[in-house]
Amino acid sequence: MGEEGAEGTVHLLCLAASSGVPLFCRSSRGGAHARQQLPFSVIGSLNGVHMFGQNLEVQLSSARTEDTIVVWKSFHDSITLIVLSSEEGTSELRLERLLQMVFGAMVLLVGLEELTNICNVERLKKELRASYRLIDSFLGDSELIGDLTQCVDCVVPPEGSLLQEALSGFAEAAGTAFVSLVVSGRVVTATESWWRLGMPEAVLLPWLVGSLPPQAARDYPVYLPHGSPTVPHRLLTLTLLPDLELCLLCGPRPPLSQLDAQLLERWWQPLLDLLRTCLPLGPRALPAGFPLHTDILGLLLLHLELKRCLFTVEPSRDKEPSPEHRRRLLRSFYTLVTATHFPPEPGQPEKVEAAAHRAQVPRACYLVSGAEEPGTGWRLVALQLGPRLLLLLLSAQSPTYGLRGLATHTLHALTPLL
């Protein structure tokens, strides 16, 4: 299995579908390269072959060369997104979901009306600049995984019931039903209405907050790609502690000035020590002292019905590989098992032939790397029970005959958390 993102570059192109005019080009490389466009001849060729197929009623969705995968996707017959990836081990699934998230980010910050009725290309280009920071965070080596899993990145706080009670009281006092507490782009707790947000905004909103530079308070206009793509809402954020923010989704009211220090102190000052314990939860996801087997180097737990996930590569940090490498291994393994082994996620239509073979779909699988040299490499195991899917990255010392038992025990221990 390749190490996704270990090498290579991702180029993202956005074009007006009718004219083929490039709206922006982004790259996974930082600095000046992120703003440097591919040669116009390359952009024109990639868009031209896609349009040629459409004229013949042929839908070109992906192509593969010796070292690059190209994926095309049109949205509302108005925007064409093209992604080229030379990353080792990448897949069509990952790139297709990337394009869905990118278009969702464009709608979130610009609105669907501007994207489907393009009257002034130059004005649209300027408006889309507001989405660059969020889009670039999808192309980089993020600590989050919701862009790939399409599930909300969450953490499990200690004393979650106290935080939930305070959040509900604060939401009522603030006059909005949509409130969440976010640490480093991950949801700590949220009101019932916030959890009912559709996709992709449920993933995009905390990701957006995590991608913005630190600020004490914000009043940010956003569209909801699923719930309100043409009428903007207001995303209000209030920083309680560094990287720990309250997020409120509301209409014209309340004004940001109404959420004053006195209101914050009333609900959150008594919980200040508890809030501080939430800060390390960003990368760790699990409460301090949660018992995990010493062979576990990283885990991804998904609740496919609630569309929430826990993702961490913090266990046994003193061991190889690096956190970045662990994230790449788990992301690659997720795309592998999702594309080839496990049934479609809840809510997705099944093909007839897929449904016919449903009974033969596995519930567990594992992958061993470095098996040619005993004691080297890593073990990856996936287990699905009901709506939960668990992926574990394990050290080479973990025997293959015990992988399923270890995964089953870990899943049972994690089940009360998500």
Side-chain angles (χ1 to χ4, degrees):
M1 183 177 63
E3 299 166 9
E4 183 182 335
E7 298 176 0
T9 304
V10 178
H11 289 290
L12 173 69
L13 311 174
C14 176
L15 306 100
S18 58
S19 63
V21 174
L23 300 175
F24 63 77
C25 175
R26 310 301 291 171
S27 166
S28 60
R29 296 295 188 190
H33 293 284
R35 295 179 292 275
Q36 182 179 352
Q37 286 196 356
L38 290 171
F40 191 79
S41 58
V42 174
I43 298 174
S45 298
L46 289 168
N47 188 51
V49 69
H50 183 252
M51 293 182 69
F52 179 75
Q54 284 185 319
N55 292 335
L56 297 176
E57 297 184 354
V58 174
Q59 186 62 47
L60 176 62
S61 58
S62 65
R64 188 184 288 264
T65 68
E66 186 175 331
D67 60 357
T68 302
I69 298 178
V70 186
V71 174
W72 292 262
K73 192 166 183 63
S74 294
F75 295 87
H76 298 273
D77 297 322
S78 180
I79 297 292
T80 298
L81 293 177
I82 307 171
V83 61
L84 304 82
S85 176
S86 58
E87 291 180 336
E88 183 181 354
T90 196
S91 66
E92 281 90 349
L93 174 71
R94 186 249 165 165
L95 298 179
E96 288 167 2
R97 294 191 174 184
L98 170 65
L99 294 185
Q100 292 170 4
M101 291 295 288
V102 167
F103 185 73
M106 294 165 63
V107 176
L108 185 79
L109 298 173
V110 176
L112 188 61
E113 186 71 25
E114 292 289 331
L115 298 173
T116 54
N117 297 307
I118 303 175
C119 301
N120 187 320
V121 170
E122 293 305 315
R123 187 182 71 185
L124 179 58
K125 285 183 181 179
K126 290 179 181 178
E127 291 178 346
L128 284 171
R129 289 174 188 165
S131 64
Y132 285 178
R133 180 184 289 270
L134 181 55
I135 289 172
D136 288 348
S137 70
F138 299 145
L139 304 179
D141 184 23
S142 174
E143 294 183 359
L144 307 177
I145 201 169
D147 61 318
L148 178 61
T149 63
Q150 298 180 330
C151 295
V152 180
D153 285 279
C154 301
V155 299
V156 181
E159 305 290 344
S161 58
L162 290 178
L163 290 173
Q164 184 69 53
E165 184 180 343
L167 191 78
S168 299
F170 175 81
E172 185 176 349
T176 177
F178 298 88
V179 185
S180 65
L181 184 64
V182 174
V183 60
S184 303
R186 303 160 178 87
V187 176
V188 180
T189 187
T191 60
E192 289 186 16
S193 295
W194 183 284
W195 284 127
R196 286 198 295 267
L197 287 172
M199 292 294 161
E201 51 259 35
V203 171
L204 286 170
L205 288 172
W207 195 303
L208 171 65
V209 173
S211 71
L212 294 172
Q215 208 165 338
R218 304 185 191 90
D219 192 337
Y220 215 83
V222 294
Y223 298 81
L224 305 181
H226 174 77
S228 181
T230 57
V231 179
H233 286 63
R234 294 164 62 226
L235 177 65
L236 308 182
T237 68
L238 300 161
T239 299
L240 299 179
L241 293 169
D243 295 324
L244 184 65
E245 299 180 73
L246 279 171
C247 302
L248 299 84
L249 193 63
C250 54
R253 300 187 62 81
L256 187 59
S257 58
Q258 182 177 317
L259 307 175
D260 55 18
Q262 188 175 2
L263 183 64
L264 291 177
E265 287 178 9
R266 175 188 169 192
W267 291 101
W268 300 106
Q269 184 69 33
L271 300 180
L272 189 57
D273 289 339
L274 179 56
L275 292 174
R276 289 195 179 103
T277 66
C278 294
L279 297 181
L281 290 176
R284 196 173 66 205
L286 301 172
F290 185 84
L292 286 176
H293 195 282
T294 54
D295 287 346
I296 295 176
L297 304 177
L299 69 84
L300 170 61
L301 174 65
L302 302 108
H303 196 298
L304 300 175
E305 291 178 356
L306 297 179
K307 289 291 184 181
R308 304 177 199 173
C309 66
L310 299 174
F311 180 48
T312 181
V313 292
E314 289 293 299
S316 304
R317 280 197 63 120
D318 55 326
K319 299 180 182 178
E320 291 291 331
S322 67
E324 294 77 16
H325 192 175
R326 295 182 188 191
R327 283 194 291 270
R328 289 195 294 265
L329 287 167
L330 279 167
R331 288 177 72 96
S332 287
F333 189 50
Y334 171 82
T335 59
L336 173 68
V337 301
T338 302
T340 59
H341 293 314
F342 290 104
E345 295 168 14
Q348 294 184 347
E350 293 186 3
K351 296 179 181 179
V352 174
E353 60 270 23
H357 294 286
R358 180 75 182 234
Q360 302 174 19
V361 172
R363 287 294 176 265
C365 65
Y366 70 89
L367 187 149
V368 177
S369 70
E372 63 279 359
E373 297 182 33
T376 65
W378 302 278
R379 315 284 186 255
L380 288 148
V381 59
L383 174 69
Q384 183 162 354
L385 287 176
R388 292 177 178 84
L389 173 62
L390 175 67
L391 281 68
L392 294 178
L393 171 64
L394 303 163
S395 65
Q397 285 68 41
S398 194
T400 54
Y401 62 80
L403 294 180
R404 182 165 184 172
L406 175 54
T408 302
H409 176 79
T410 304
L411 182 54
H412 286 319
L414 290 169
T415 292
L417 303 183
L418 185 65

